[in-house]
Amino acid sequence: MGEFELIEQFFKPNRPPAPASQAPAAPESIVLGIGDDCALLQPAPGMQLAVSSDMLVEGRHFFADADPAALGHKALAVNLSDLAAMGAEPLACTLALALPPERARDEAWLAAFAGGLRALADAHACPLVGGDTTAGPLNLCITVLGQVPAGQALRRGGARPGDELWVSGTLGDARLALLALRGDIALPPPALAAARQRLERPTPRLPLGRGLRGIASSCIDLSDGLAGDVGHLLAASGVGAVIDADAAANLIAVIAFLSGAGGTFDLNFRRSTVLTGGDDYELAFTAPPGARAAVERAGEKAATPVTRIGRIEAAPGLRLIDAAGRPVEDGFRSFDHFA
Amino acid sequence: MGEFELIEQFFKPNRPPAPASQAPAAPESIVLGIGDDCALLQPAPGMQLAVSSDMLVEGRHFFADADPAALGHKALAVNLSDLAAMGAEPLACTLALALPPERARDEAWLAAFAGGLRALADAHACPLVGGDTTAGPLNLCITVLGQVPAGQALRRGGARPGDELWVSGTLGDARLALLALRGDIALPPPALAAARQRLERPTPRLPLGRGLRGIASSCIDLSDGLAGDVGHLLAASGVGAVIDADAAANLIAVIAFLSGAGGTFDLNFRRSTVLTGGDDYELAFTAPPGARAAVERAGEKAATPVTRIGRIEAAPGLRLIDAAGRPVEDGFRSFDHFA
């Protein structure tokens, strides 16, 4: 199969994307999709455009034998998570794909990958409008485009001393799944299944991000680990924070399976998993204490749990405390691709 | 160096891009650049957004020892060429970059690559606003965003029987340089230098593309070879064309060096080079015969040569004739990454 047939067969939508109930981006925003030199989009009047690109590399971001449907899901999900963190709604995405020759011939793999990507794209009204295919070591690069009312985007730099620090959903499970799949730890089958779902099919928090417009003072998505990503938010805002490391460690979804399991899963391991694990694709955000009820309502409306885990302070840096308020030794670092 | 330091040091602009005289995109269209979950752009009112992604892989699109500044130029140029083909003006670009560890440590390489990219980005007011860096086999994925007045984009599907087929600039030289660098042919040093410039530093035809709005009935950029790319235009338009293969073959910039050189450079070789060579990043476009003077004025205004090489016919398919109007055997195929 040639590259043009490959695009035609697997990636060109054969029908307009179904509008998802929670995704207000109108299909009429797509003026021209796959098949020309560029796609053409018409953002709604008064909107700013949000854009983000992420690249996933075989052997680094995913295993060579990863489920292709899950991979298609995840490649788009990590990008949609960036739109969520800005409070933006999706408009469209592009996919650039380098495929080794054996993958380019593997129609079952391509169909499953494209299907996983399309299912998530349809669910969030974020159609694939263009891209590129080439031969090369397996590499997936997705760019998402979204829109947000001018001036309402959630940025990293708006946290102020006195604000409270929140996170969405659960944390650390993706890391546990990775450790278990690598054979570094053992997890009971139901725990592994649940954790693996979080690793392979993260949920971009788009409804929550939109709901936090006008409420959150700053926001970031958690891709490299809580400590490092919150560190970026603090640096951008010129502030510091104290985080209750034990409240954070309790956000592991499969924690019930870990508590009684002895040494490997001690408190420090759980803290480290949540603070440095990465691949969570949850939102960390700040809001003034007076907005607490509004934050909780936004979480309920988006059907996404939200948890307060700390507060912003004027002194730069990230300080960790335990459940009793005592300082926790901070040796936790974020993931760095070149470290 | 970590990935965040790498972005900070090499890719984050330390100054706003200089507005280029021929590029009307205003710097105020960039609301937020590198450093948040997404960049934020504000397209001008009444504009549609044009978006395109291209991926370059080491060993396939460029040699491992390619001049990094030229590589930075080319990675962006091939994307800007897609904007040119739509008649769009650049707004911004993102770069996703997979780097082997030894490249990530090679500050001279990184600085030269980023410098080459930035020089072209500045020349066309297309600042880098975001992206991603990761470890992996060397892979460059750029997404460009541009804008075009609603309804004025040049598309592939507008060619009509009776229209004339034009191309910009020169063709085939990039292919000659590739063959010479591979050792398949020998070129005199001045010819190789000129051809290599076309291979390594293609010129995106943005001023011409903008100038053809309202004049050209269809347009495509030439990346995979004249025959194949014009074939895409014809298919999208539901028409066919006859091309003067010898007029096309005469568009080789270094043709003066080839004419006396005997067998390797015979007429059929020159035809094949232009029809299937690829990597030209010129525009092929159609316009009614009555627009001939307007096309020529657009070319002059953009300081870009334009040449008529054929005409559109109702019967599907691409037919080649020689300078005397006789049919030329058509065994020329376009480049396909998976063929």
Side-chain angles (χ1 to χ4, degrees), chain A residues 176 179-180 183-187 252 257-273:
Chain A
L176 291 173
L179 292 173
D184 295 339
I185 63 170
L187 286 177
I252 297 174
F257 293 95
L258 306 182
S259 338
T264 319
F265 301 134
D266 68 9
L267 180 59
N268 210 48
F269 172 81
R270 296 201 304 270
R271 286 172 179 162
S272 165
T273 297

Side-chain angles (χ1 to χ4, degrees), chain B residues 13-19 27-28 30 118 122 125 127:
Chain B
N14 43 21
R15 53 189 161 70
E28 61 264 31
I30 312 301
R118 184 176 297 173
D122 286 356

